[in-house]
Amino acid sequence: ALIAWHHAVGSTFDVRVQSLGVFGNELFPHDGVVASLEANRQEFDPTLAFDAATGEVNVFYGVRNLAQSQWGVSGQRLSPTGARLWGDSGVVLTPVDGVAESAPRCVAYGGGAMVFAFDQPNTPLLDARVLAWRVDESGALVWGAAPTVLCSALSWKDDLEVGVDAAGIAVAVWEDERADAGD
């Protein structure tokens, strides 16, 4: 089993990941591996994708400044023993700035992962778009530095879910209030 959570040490949150073996034994250090050691950042809302070919784990999460007034999305890849493979700070998908990003989700894909999230380009308005990134096994952005915009229609969105079908096609679905006020 793979488990990820955000955890507060004092008032600062970090993301932790634990891997459990078939008998419930901890495969990562006790209390999990901290995904990022980056200073002056808070990490929230982790999402996991397991690479069955290597036994490695991709974890992506929302990042905020200490005041939680700026947002970004980052990620980390962990070895089967919990070593941080993308350096102590991981990789940045979108830097911490004044545009709110939320609800990251990911799926394993092609040795790396596809990552999806909402962003609110007119923060503080709640109207959001849907963004996607593809990251390879080394942490490089496959589709370029800018995210791919899956849905540019600004509206209230929630409940982002993602998956990959048998043909290898990624699918993202979400609740969207632009046409029917939330039905």
Side-chain angles (χ1 to χ4, degrees):
L2 294 169
I3 305 162
W5 66 98
H6 58 256
H7 172 266
V9 177
S11 61
T12 302
F13 285 83
D14 60 25
V15 163
R16 293 176 181 253
V17 180
Q18 182 57 269
S19 179
L20 301 174
V22 295
F23 299 106
N25 53 311
E26 294 177 334
L27 301 177
F28 291 176
H30 185 67
D31 289 332
V33 172
V34 176
S36 172
L37 301 180
E38 185 176 11
N40 300 315
R41 293 285 185 248
Q42 303 212 53
E43 291 93 26
F44 294 91
D45 305 323
T47 179
L48 296 171
F50 180 67
D51 185 338
T54 65
E56 296 170 345
V57 180
N58 295 294
V59 57
F60 296 90
Y61 43 88
V63 181
R64 299 179 195 163
N65 64 349
L66 292 178
Q68 297 190 43
S69 60
Q70 295 186 317
W71 307 263
V73 178
S74 292
Q76 182 62 266
R77 188 169 175 101
L78 303 170
S79 75
T81 59
R84 286 183 286 281
L85 299 175
W86 292 342
D88 284 344
S89 297
V91 297
V92 173
L93 301 186
T94 184
V96 173
D97 60 20
V99 176
E101 288 93 10
S102 62
R105 301 287 187 264
C106 69
V107 293
Y109 192 84
M114 286 190 208
V115 185
F116 305 82
F118 296 132
D119 86 329
Q120 298 166 326
N122 298 319
T123 303
L125 297 177
L126 296 178
D127 291 341
R129 304 179 302 172
V130 182
L131 306 180
W133 299 264
R134 180 157 174 228
V135 180
D136 70 14
E137 61 278 354
S138 70
L141 294 167
V142 175
W143 294 336
T148 298
V149 178
L150 297 184
C151 179
S152 62
L154 292 173
S155 59
W156 185 88
K157 295 175 176 62
D158 197 13
D159 299 325
L160 178 61
E161 300 295 336
V162 298
V164 176
D165 68 14
I169 297 172
V171 177
V173 296
W174 58 90
E175 179 182 355
D176 193 321
E177 289 193 4
R178 72 182 120 147
D180 59 3
D183 235 359

